Amino acid sequence: MLTSKRDRLLDLRLQIQACIRCPYSETRDTPFFGDGEYRSPILVIGSAPRKRDDAEGEVFSGRASRKLERMFQAAELDINKAYRTYLLRCYGGREPSFGEFTAFKRCQSYTVQMIKIMRPTAVVVCGYKAFKWLILKWTREVADEHSFYKWVGRAVRLREV
């Protein structure tokens, strides 16, 4: 039985690397697990990797990385002390016939497992789709792409993931 947080996260990483739940697994370069300090009280979850992330094998690369760094600097926090990951584990841009809805539904359990293992104090959700699949799934609140911005900066307390 795996007892340490590190061991359980390593086991989860192996599950994600071996995942074949959807056609994205056939075309991906990198199945994304995460990057940063796994013992951090802050977990940053983006919606999905982009083409650049897939090519570079980095979570939040390019413009997204710079924007996230600026946000953390404004809060006087070090981005390298947070753990960064995606809800959708594979770049899916090369498989247009497979619905993104189904991919998010299949990847969601990995993120829920990660949250349960890491038990972060704060989860920063980046993007409407990550918000929809992680926050709205467990609340009675309703938001769509137009009303999403009323949620920006708002804290939501979840009793149980």
Side-chain angles (χ1 to χ4, degrees):
M1 179 178 194
L2 301 174
T3 56
S4 78
K5 183 184 289 191
R6 183 176 176 270
D7 289 343
R8 290 182 296 163
L9 286 171
L10 287 174
D11 183 58
L12 183 59
R13 179 187 293 263
L14 292 174
Q15 290 176 42
I16 291 169
Q17 288 173 337
C19 179
I20 54 170
R21 292 180 179 178
C22 74
Y24 289 175
S25 65
E26 298 170 12
T27 60
R28 69 181 178 219
D29 288 331
T30 307
F32 285 90
F33 185 72
D35 187 34
E37 176 55 52
Y38 73 92
R39 293 172 291 203
S40 175
I42 303 171
L43 177 61
V44 179
I45 303 172
S47 292
R50 303 194 186 285
K51 186 175 185 176
R52 181 179 185 145
D53 303 326
D54 192 50
E56 293 181 13
E58 289 184 31
V59 178
F60 290 102
S61 67
R63 195 173 72 188
S65 174
R66 291 188 297 275
K67 185 173 185 176
L68 196 57
E69 283 178 31
R70 285 193 305 271
M71 289 169 50
F72 268 69
Q73 286 173 350
E76 298 180 2
L77 297 170
D78 182 359
I79 188 67
N80 296 315
K81 300 246 164 92
Y83 197 83
R84 300 167 305 283
T85 191
Y86 293 117
L87 176 58
L88 194 61
R89 300 300 170 158
C90 300
Y91 171 66
R94 293 167 294 208
E95 187 64 47
S97 62
F98 181 68
E100 203 173 58
F101 168 82
T102 307
F104 278 107
K105 191 173 182 179
R106 292 180 182 177
C107 284
Q108 180 183 20
S109 66
Y110 292 131
T111 305
V112 171
Q113 287 179 57
M114 181 180 279
I115 292 169
K116 286 180 177 180
I117 293 168
M118 294 180 74
R119 303 195 56 78
T121 304
V123 177
V124 178
V125 179
C126 301
Y128 172 70
K129 290 177 181 167
F131 166 75
K132 177 181 175 183
W133 282 97
L134 289 172
I135 303 298
L136 295 184
K137 184 86 172 159
W138 288 283
T139 68
R140 294 177 187 221
E141 301 278 349
V142 177
D144 58 24
E145 292 182 34
H146 304 291
S147 64
F148 167 67
Y149 293 101
K150 77 176 184 177
W151 288 81
V152 174
R154 183 173 161 191
V156 178
R157 182 177 301 267
L158 298 178
R159 292 189 178 165
E160 183 178 315
V161 172

